[in-house]
Amino acid sequence: MKNPMMFAVCLLFLGSMFALPDAIAADESPFNEWVEARLDITFTDTLTGCHVNGTFDVRKESYNGIVCSADDLRSIYSAAANPSDKQAMVNALNSFIDEQSGSMVDFFSGDAAITPHDATCGVSTLSSDVAGSDAYNPVRFYKDYDISFRPSFFKMSNESQMEAVRAFLVMGAKVAVNGVKLSSNNGWSTTFKYILPQGFSFESASASYGSPVIVDSGRSVSQTIDNVKGGKGQCVLDMNVSYDDAPVLSEDVQILIEADATGLPQMEISALINIGAVSVPATASIPETVKMDYATADGIRMAYKYGWLTKADLDSETLPKISSMENALSEAFGANVSLSSSWSNLSGYTAEIMGKDPPASCAVYTDKPIDPGMNFSHNAVLGFLNAGATIRQNISIGEVGYDYNAKLILPENIEFKPDGSVSGSNPYVWTQAKPSVSGAIFSRIAPSYENALINATIDMKTLKAEILKIISGNLQAASEVEISVEVRRVNVPSDLEMPGKISMKYVNSDALRLALNEELISSDYFSNITEKMLGKMEGALSGMAGGALSLELDKAALDASLAIPVDISGMNDENPIVFKVKTFELSLGAKKSGAQAALVNLPKFSFSFPSMEYGDVIYRIIMPPGIEVVSAEGATSGKTQGGRQYVEASAMSGKSANIGIVLGVGIGFILGVAWPFIVGIVAVCAVVIAVVIIRKRQKK
C-alpha cells in the first residue's frame, strides 16, 4: 500500500468494531474530542503581560477523519513504518493543539497581543502506554504563549503609562483585572490558573460561572471549566490585585506657615504645604481599573506625569484650605489678605517605592505685604514699641483641615507674648492645636515707666544788692533767673492719633521727637506746652517778684532739643525736650529780722506751682550763692554739687505744689557783696600809709 499510515488507520477502524467492551475505559465525552487542559498564566514582574504554560492531555481526538482514543493514537504511531511517518503524525497532532487552543488563550478580548509558541508532543506518552487497561490514558502535549497587555486593558491611553500598573500597586492601590474571558471547547475540561509575581496577591476573584479559588497564599487564582460533556463552556473572571507590603495610607499633609512681620506694621505671609499623602481629588482622572483612596507624593508625581492629575485637581484639594487661611488672616490683621499658590516637586518618582519623600509642595504666599492700615511707618512702629508701646494682636490661621506649624517672625528685640504667659518669644511658634492666639507684641528692650515726668528748674543765678542797705537791714536785691523745663515723658497726647491696636501709657522724649518727625503730631503740640508752661510759671513766680512777670521762650534751645537725632533701637528719655526761658531779672525785697544763723532773713515766700495735664512735674528752685533756706513748707531742700541750696516739690495727679519758704542772707553773701568795698578801703589805707612813710624819709 502506498500510504502505510492510512492502512494502519483502516486496520484500527476495523479492529475497533470487534473490540471487547470491558477492555476499554468509559468514554466520558459525547464529542469527537476529550481533552483535559491546564493553562498556567504567570504575570510578568511589571504586570504588563503574562506567560502561558499550557499542558494538554488528549484522551480522544479526531485523526484523519476517524475518532481515536489515546490508545488508538499510540497504535497508529507504533504501526508507522519509518520515523518520517511518525514525525508526520506528531506534526498533525501538534497542529490539532495549535488550532484548538488558540481561541482559549484569547482571555483579554483583543486587549492584548498574543505570541504563540509551537505545540510539542510528549512523545513518550505517544510511544508507550503505561496503563494498558485504559484506552483513554492521555497523550500529553505542551504549548506556550506570551501575552502583552495593550494599554486599553487597564484603561490607559499609551504604552508608557503601563509602567504605572505596578507602581499603583506598590503605593497601596488595588488594580482590577476584569473581564477575563475563559472558554473551554466541547469535550474539554480546562483549568485556568493565574499566578502573580512574588509579593503580589489576589485580594478577590469572582466569575460569571463557577467558583474561582484563591490558592498559594493569595498568589494564584484557579478556575476550571468542565465542558467535557457539554453545557457551559464560557465564563467571565474578575480579579483584584494588591501588593503584600503596601503601606496603609492616610492623610499626611504638613503645612509650614511663616508670618514675616519684620517689616511691621506690614506683614508677609508664606506657607509651604508639604503633601506626603493625600486623598485622591474627586476631579482626578485615575484609570478606572485602579482603586485607591490616597496617593503618596510619588503617586501624585506619577499621576501628574501621565495627565491623570492636573494642577487644577491639586488646587481643588488645597484652595479651600487657602481660602480658609485668607479669611482667618484678613480678620486677624484687619486687612484684605489675598494668597497665591504655586506647585513644586511634581516631577520624578521612584516606582519601586512610591513613597512620600520628597513631598509634593505647594507654596502659598501673599502677592503684596499685608497692610493693617495703622498709618504708622515701619520706623514709627518700631520706635514706639522700643519706647514702651504694645500692639494687641490676635493671631489666627483658622481651621485648614491639616496639621500645621506656624511661625511669627518679628523684628530684632520685638517679641510676642500670648495672654496668660509670663514671657514672650521671637519667633513665636504655634500649631493647629491652638489655631487662634491673642496676645501683645512688645519690645524686650523698652524702658518701663511708672509715671510721666517733667523737671522744671528755676535757677536764681545771682543776687545783686546794696551793701549799705543790707547793713541797715533794708534789703533791696535783684536776681538773674534762668528757667528750664525738661520734658522727659508725658501722658499720651490727645493730638497723637494712636491706632487702636497700639497702646502706650507714657510717651518719652525720643518718642515725641519721632512723632514729630513722622508727622504723627504737629508742632502746635509743643507750642501749646510753651504757652501753658510760661503762663503757669509767670503766675507761680509773681508772688516772689511782688508783681506780674512776662517770660519769653528761648526758641533756639527748644528747636535744638527737638532736632536731636532719634535712634529707634534705643528710645528713652535721656535727652529731654527742653523749654528754656530767656534769662530775666527778678526783683526781691526784704527787712531785717531777729538774730539767726543768717544775718538777714527775707520774708516768707509762698508759691503755688500748678500741675500740668502732660504729666507729673518736679519743681526745683535753686538759690543764689550765699542765700540759705531757713525753712521750707511743702517741699524738700538740698544742695547742688556746687554747694548751692535748693527746694524741690512735686505737682502730681492734678494737684498743685504749694510751697512756703523763708530764705536767709548769710555772712558769705554779705562778705561777697562788701568785699569790693573792703578791698578799696584797704587799698586806700595802704596808699595813705605809704605816702606818710615816704614823707618821713624825705624830711630826714
Side-chain angles (χ1 to χ4, degrees):
M1 181 175 287
K2 293 183 180 180
N3 191 339
M5 187 65 71
M6 181 59 70
F7 176 70
V9 170
C10 292
L11 290 176
L12 180 61
F13 174 73
L14 293 172
S16 64
M17 296 178 62
F18 301 101
L20 296 175
D22 57 357
I24 303 174
D27 182 359
E28 297 181 9
S29 172
F31 303 104
N32 293 339
E33 301 168 9
W34 181 12
V35 180
E36 292 178 352
R38 177 184 176 89
L39 301 178
D40 288 344
I41 305 107
T42 303
F43 286 84
T44 62
D45 287 341
T46 61
L47 299 171
T48 57
C50 52
H51 181 75
V52 181
N53 296 110
T55 303
F56 303 88
D57 289 339
V58 177
R59 295 182 179 274
K60 178 176 71 172
E61 72 167 80
S62 178
Y63 178 68
N64 281 348
I66 299 174
V67 178
C68 301
S69 68
D71 273 358
D72 294 336
L73 295 175
R74 278 186 280 269
S75 297
I76 297 171
Y77 183 79
S78 298
N82 53 61
S84 60
D85 292 337
K86 291 180 181 293
Q87 187 60 50
M89 179 180 181
V90 169
N91 291 343
L93 296 175
N94 285 341
S95 295
F96 167 77
I97 297 299
D98 287 337
E99 294 168 2
Q100 298 301 312
S101 65
S103 60
M104 291 193 300
V105 296
D106 188 15
F107 315 118
F108 307 111
S109 303
D111 283 333
I114 301 173
T115 302
H117 298 275
D118 293 336
T120 59
C121 175
V123 178
S124 61
T125 63
L126 182 62
S127 60
S128 62
D129 184 8
V130 296
S133 61
D134 182 3
Y136 296 97
N137 187 44
V139 176
R140 178 161 290 181
F141 295 84
Y142 304 94
K143 184 173 178 62
D144 295 346
Y145 294 86
D146 287 312
I147 299 177
S148 296
F149 298 132
R150 293 191 174 96
S152 56
F153 179 73
F154 287 110
K155 310 302 180 186
M156 296 179 181
S157 58
N158 57 64
E159 288 290 340
S160 64
Q161 295 178 351
M162 292 292 284
E163 68 170 1
V165 175
R166 190 181 192 279
F168 274 127
L169 288 165
V170 170
M171 184 174 59
K174 316 299 180 189
V175 174
V177 182
N178 289 339
V180 179
K181 295 182 179 179
L182 309 182
S183 63
S184 186
N185 299 333
N186 288 334
W188 288 51
S189 176
T190 307
T191 298
F192 302 86
K193 186 176 184 181
Y194 290 87
I195 306 167
L196 290 171
Q198 189 70 35
F200 296 88
S201 298
F202 288 104
E203 196 168 77
S204 64
S206 62
S208 59
Y209 169 71
S211 300
V213 178
I214 298 177
V215 295
D216 301 332
S217 300
R219 281 192 63 202
S220 305
V221 167
S222 182
Q223 168 81 339
T224 298
I225 298 181
D226 188 351
N227 197 27
V228 171
K229 296 180 180 179
K232 194 74 172 178
Q234 293 182 341
C235 76
V236 177
L237 179 65
D238 294 330
M239 299 172 285
N240 286 302
V241 180
S242 64
Y243 182 56
D244 296 344
D245 295 328
V248 178
L249 296 178
S250 60
E251 293 275 7
D252 184 4
V253 179
Q254 293 291 328
I255 303 181
L256 306 175
I257 302 171
E258 188 173 281
D260 184 352
T262 54
L264 277 174
Q266 293 186 335
M267 183 179 300
E268 295 186 15
I269 303 293
S270 61
L272 189 62
I273 303 176
N274 286 327
I275 300 177
V278 69
S279 58
V280 178
T283 55
S285 55
I286 304 298
E288 62 186 76
T289 55
V290 178
K291 305 299 180 185
M292 60 181 184
D293 296 322
Y294 300 96
T296 64
D298 273 345
I300 290 173
R301 284 185 278 270
M302 181 179 72
Y304 182 73
K305 173 183 177 180
Y306 293 123
W308 300 319
L309 189 68
T310 65
K311 288 183 179 178
D313 298 324
L314 292 171
D315 285 342
S316 70
E317 183 68 20
T318 57
L319 284 179
K321 321 306 184 199
I322 294 173
S323 178
S324 174
M325 290 170 60
E326 285 178 338
N327 294 335
L329 290 169
S330 297
E331 183 176 350
F333 296 108
N336 183 32
V337 178
S338 177
L339 298 175
S340 299
S341 62
S342 62
W343 287 90
S344 60
N345 289 342
L346 291 182
S347 62
Y349 62 93
T350 306
E352 294 78 15
I353 300 175
M354 296 303 289
K356 300 178 179 181
D357 294 322
S361 299
C362 179
V364 180
Y365 49 90
T366 47
D367 293 322
K368 59 182 180 179
I370 301 171
D371 190 346
M374 285 189 182
N375 296 322
F376 266 37
S377 70
H378 175 64
N379 276 357
V381 171
L382 279 188
F384 273 87
L385 285 172
N386 287 330
T390 59
I391 299 177
R392 288 294 304 173
Q393 186 62 63
N394 175 57
I395 301 174
S396 177
I397 303 299
E399 298 287 348
V400 299
Y402 296 131
D403 292 345
Y404 65 78
N405 290 292
K407 180 191 296 184
L408 173 64
I409 303 174
L410 294 163
E412 185 179 4
N413 298 320
I414 307 300
E415 297 184 352
F416 177 78
K417 183 175 74 172
D419 292 340
S421 178
V422 296
S423 61
S425 60
N426 181 17
Y428 175 72
V429 177
W430 75 102
T431 68
Q432 78 287 344
K434 201 170 185 179
S436 182
V437 182
S438 294
I441 296 174
F442 70 100
S443 170
R444 64 181 181 83
I445 63 172
S448 177
Y449 303 123
E450 295 183 358
N451 62 320
L453 179 60
I454 300 172
N455 295 113
T457 301
I458 303 166
D459 188 352
M460 302 171 70
K461 292 285 187 180
T462 63
L463 187 65
K464 300 175 184 178
E466 296 181 20
I467 184 60
L468 295 178
K469 290 184 178 181
I470 293 176
I471 294 173
S472 66
N474 184 16
L475 174 63
Q476 293 294 324
S479 177
E480 189 179 78
V481 180
E482 289 183 359
I483 298 178
S484 176
V485 178
E486 296 181 345
V487 176
R488 294 189 177 274
R489 47 188 183 270
V490 297
N491 298 321
V492 178
S494 58
D495 298 4
L496 180 60
E497 295 184 6
M498 301 280 281
K501 288 186 175 183
I502 297 182
S503 61
M504 197 173 190
K505 289 187 68 176
Y506 307 107
V507 181
N508 64 28
S509 54
D510 277 346
L512 284 173
R513 291 187 187 91
L514 179 62
L516 181 64
N517 295 341
E518 293 283 331
E519 298 182 352
L520 301 173
I521 194 169
S522 71
S523 59
D524 291 344
Y525 172 74
F526 301 97
S527 298
N528 291 337
I529 293 180
T530 300
E531 182 179 342
K532 292 179 181 179
M533 183 268 295
L534 290 178
K536 292 180 185 294
M537 286 295 178
E538 289 171 350
L541 295 175
S542 61
M544 180 180 283
L549 288 176
S550 179
L551 305 179
E552 183 181 356
L553 180 73
D554 185 346
K555 192 172 186 308
L558 174 60
D559 291 343
S561 69
L562 288 174
I564 295 174
V566 177
D567 178 7
I568 62 172
S569 64
M571 302 288 288
N572 52 55
D573 61 359
E574 293 177 2
N575 294 308
I577 296 174
V578 179
F579 295 82
K580 185 175 288 188
V581 175
K582 289 184 178 181
T583 304
F584 65 96
E585 191 170 83
L586 180 67
S587 297
L588 301 171
K591 62 182 179 179
K592 190 174 182 181
S593 62
Q596 298 183 37
L599 295 181
V600 177
N601 286 350
L602 301 180
K604 182 180 180 180
F605 296 107
S606 296
F607 304 92
S608 180
F609 288 110
S611 62
M612 294 187 183
E613 64 266 33
Y614 308 106
D616 298 342
V617 185
I618 298 176
Y619 290 95
R620 174 179 286 191
I621 305 175
I622 303 174
M623 305 305 162
I627 300 298
E628 300 177 359
V629 178
V630 177
S631 65
E633 297 176 3
T636 60
S637 61
K639 288 186 178 182
T640 66
Q641 290 183 348
R644 296 166 63 192
Q645 294 196 12
Y646 66 83
V647 292
E648 191 171 88
S650 299
M652 304 175 67
S653 304
K655 296 180 180 179
S656 298
N658 297 312
I659 305 171
I661 58 174
V662 176
L663 302 177
V665 180
I667 186 64
F669 176 78
I670 293 175
L671 289 175
V673 173
W675 184 250
F677 298 99
I678 295 172
V679 171
I681 292 171
V682 171
V684 170
C685 291
V687 170
V688 171
I689 292 170
V691 170
V692 171
I693 292 172
I694 291 170
R695 286 180 177 179
K696 284 183 177 181
R697 287 179 179 177
Q698 287 175 347
K699 288 180 180 182
K700 290 180 180 181

